[in-house]
C-alpha cells in the first residue's frame, strides 16, 4: 500500500489528523480556484469552506481512481460552476429589484458596503468578470485552472478528464472570446 | 496597449490570495453544523416510513369500511332470508 492509499484509508476511517492535513495541504489551491471564478475574496472563502465540507462527507465514496488532489479540485470546479448557475438564475429573478435600486437601499439601511465595491468600480475587473461569465463552462474551467499557481496544462487536462490538446484549444478559444466580448463593449 | 489586452492582463496578473485568519474557525463551524443535519439518506428513510404509515392507516380504515359494508349486506340478506322462511312456513299452514 503506497503512502496515498494509506492516507486515503485514514481519511475513510475518519482520522481527524488526516483530515486536518488534507485541509491544510489543499486549502490555498481550492481557495484560489474559487477566487479565479468569482474575483471576490468573501465568495471564495465561503465556497472553499463548502467544498471541503463536501470533501469530508464524500471521501468514503472516493474509490481512488485518480489522485486525491485531482478529485478535490474536480469537486471545487463543479461547485463553482453550480454556484455560477444559481447566481444567474437569481439574477434573472432579482434584476427587477436591482433596476428599482432596492439592493442599494438595503445596503444603505444595513450600513453595509457591497463586497468588493472598489474592485467593481474598476471597470476592468467588471468587464473581465462579465467576459468570464459569458464563456462556456469548459472554456472557463480550462482558463481558470490554467492560471492557478503551479498548475500545468497537463494537470488541468487530468482534472478535466480530457486531453492536453483539448485544454490548449479551450484556453485559446476562451481568451479569444473574452477579447471579442471586451472589443464589442 | 489595447483595452482588451489591458483587461486580459488583469486576469493574468491576479495574485494568489491567502486564507483569512478566521478561515479555519468558519470552516470547522460549518463542518460541525453539517454533521448535525440529517443526511439525505436518513431523511429519505424517514419520509418513506411516514408515507408507509399513512398508507397503512388508509388501508386499515378502508378495510374496516369494507367489512362494515359487507356485514351490513350480510345482515340485510339474513333478514330477507328469515322473512322468506317465515312467509314460506306460513303458507304451508
Amino acid at each position: 500500500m503506497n503512502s496515498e492509499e494509506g492516507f486515503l484509508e485514514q481519511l475513510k476511517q475518519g482520522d481527524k489528523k488526516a483530515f486536518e492535513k488534507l485541509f491544510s495541504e489543499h486549502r490555498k489551491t481550492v481557495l484560489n480556484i474559487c477566487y479565479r471564478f468569482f474575483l471576490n475574496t468573501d465568495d471564495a472563502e465561503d465556497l472553499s469552506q463548502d467544498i471541503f465540507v463536501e470533501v469530508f462527507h464524500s471521501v468514503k465514496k472516493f474509490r481512488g481512481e485518480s489522485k486525491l488532489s485531482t478529485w478535490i479540485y474536480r469537486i471545487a470546479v463543479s461547485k463553482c460552476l453550480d454556484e455560477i448557475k444559481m447566481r444567474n438564475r437569481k439574477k434573472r429573478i432579482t434584476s427587477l429589484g436591482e433596476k428599482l435600486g432596492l439592493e442599494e437601499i438595503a445596503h444603505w439601511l444595513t450600513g453595509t458596503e457591497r463586497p468588493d465595491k472598489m474592485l467593481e468600480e474598476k471597470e476592468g475587473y467588471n468587464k473581465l468578470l462579465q467576459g468570464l461569465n459569458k464563456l462556456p463552462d469548459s472554456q472557463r474551467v480550462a482558463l481558470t485552472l490554467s492560471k492557478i499557481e503551479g498548475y500545468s496544462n497537463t494537470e488541468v487536462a487530468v482534472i478535466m478528464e480530457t486531453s492536453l490538446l483539448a485544454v490548449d484549444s479551450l484556453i485559446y478559444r476562451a481568451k479569444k472570446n473574452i477579447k471579442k466580448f471586451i472589443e464589442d463593449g | 496597449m489595447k483595452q482588451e489586452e489591458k483587461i486580459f492582463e488583469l486576469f493574468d496578473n491576479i495574485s494568489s490570495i491567502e486564507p483569512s485568519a478566521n478561515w479555519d474557525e468558519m470552516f470547522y463551524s460549518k463542518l460541525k453544523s453539517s454533521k448535525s443535519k440529517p443526511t439525505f439518506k436518513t431523511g429519505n428513510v424517514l419520509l418513506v416510513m411516514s408515507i408507509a404509515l399513512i398508507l397503512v392507516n388508509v388501508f386499515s380504515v378502508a378495510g374496516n369500511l369494507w367489512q362494515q359494508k359487507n356485514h351490513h349486506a350480510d345482515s340485510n340478506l339474513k333478514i330477507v332470508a328469515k322473512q322468506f322462511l317465515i312467509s314460506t312456513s306460513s303458507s304451508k299452514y
Side-chain angles (χ1 to χ4, degrees), chain B residues 5-71:
Chain B
E5 281 169 11
K6 272 191 208 168
I7 288 171
F8 210 80
E9 216 184 66
L10 283 172
F11 191 67
D12 280 343
N13 294 332
I14 293 172
S15 48
S16 293
I17 59 172
E18 293 290 333
S20 66
N22 62 348
W23 191 98
D24 277 9
E25 188 190 330
M26 295 295 294
F27 167 60
Y28 284 108
S29 162
K30 278 187 186 180
L31 188 60
K32 192 177 171 188
S33 38
S34 77
K35 285 179 191 175
S36 59
K37 276 182 203 164
T39 60
F40 177 73
K41 201 178 169 187
T42 312
N44 227 16
V45 167
L46 286 171
L47 183 66
V48 167
M49 280 173 67
S50 307
I51 292 170
L53 201 62
I54 291 166
L55 285 173
V56 161
N57 276 334
V58 165
F59 285 127
S60 171
V61 166
N64 282 341
L65 285 172
W66 179 253
Q67 269 185 342
Q68 277 176 22
K69 188 182 167 191
N70 282 346
H71 179 72

Side-chain angles (χ1 to χ4, degrees), chain A residues 90-151:
Chain A
K90 272 190 185 167
K91 240 187 227 175
R92 286 194 283 274
I93 293 164
T94 62
S95 61
L96 178 61
E98 283 168 4
K99 282 176 187 166
L100 296 173
L102 296 177
E103 196 189 335
E104 299 292 345
I105 293 169
H107 281 289
W108 175 73
L109 285 171
T110 54
T112 56
E113 200 60 39
R114 274 187 12 225
D116 282 356
K117 195 174 179 199
M118 281 185 66
L119 279 179
E120 286 184 358
E121 281 167 357
K122 292 182 186 173
E123 194 193 316
Y125 268 108
N126 216 19
K127 265 277 186 217
L128 178 62
L129 194 58
Q130 282 172 27
L132 288 167
N133 282 341
K134 287 212 179 290
L135 292 175
D137 286 355
S138 54
Q139 287 178 22
R140 183 162 188 179
V141 170
L143 183 63
T144 301
L145 290 177
S146 71
K147 296 296 172 189
I148 301 297
E149 263 175 33
Y151 254 67

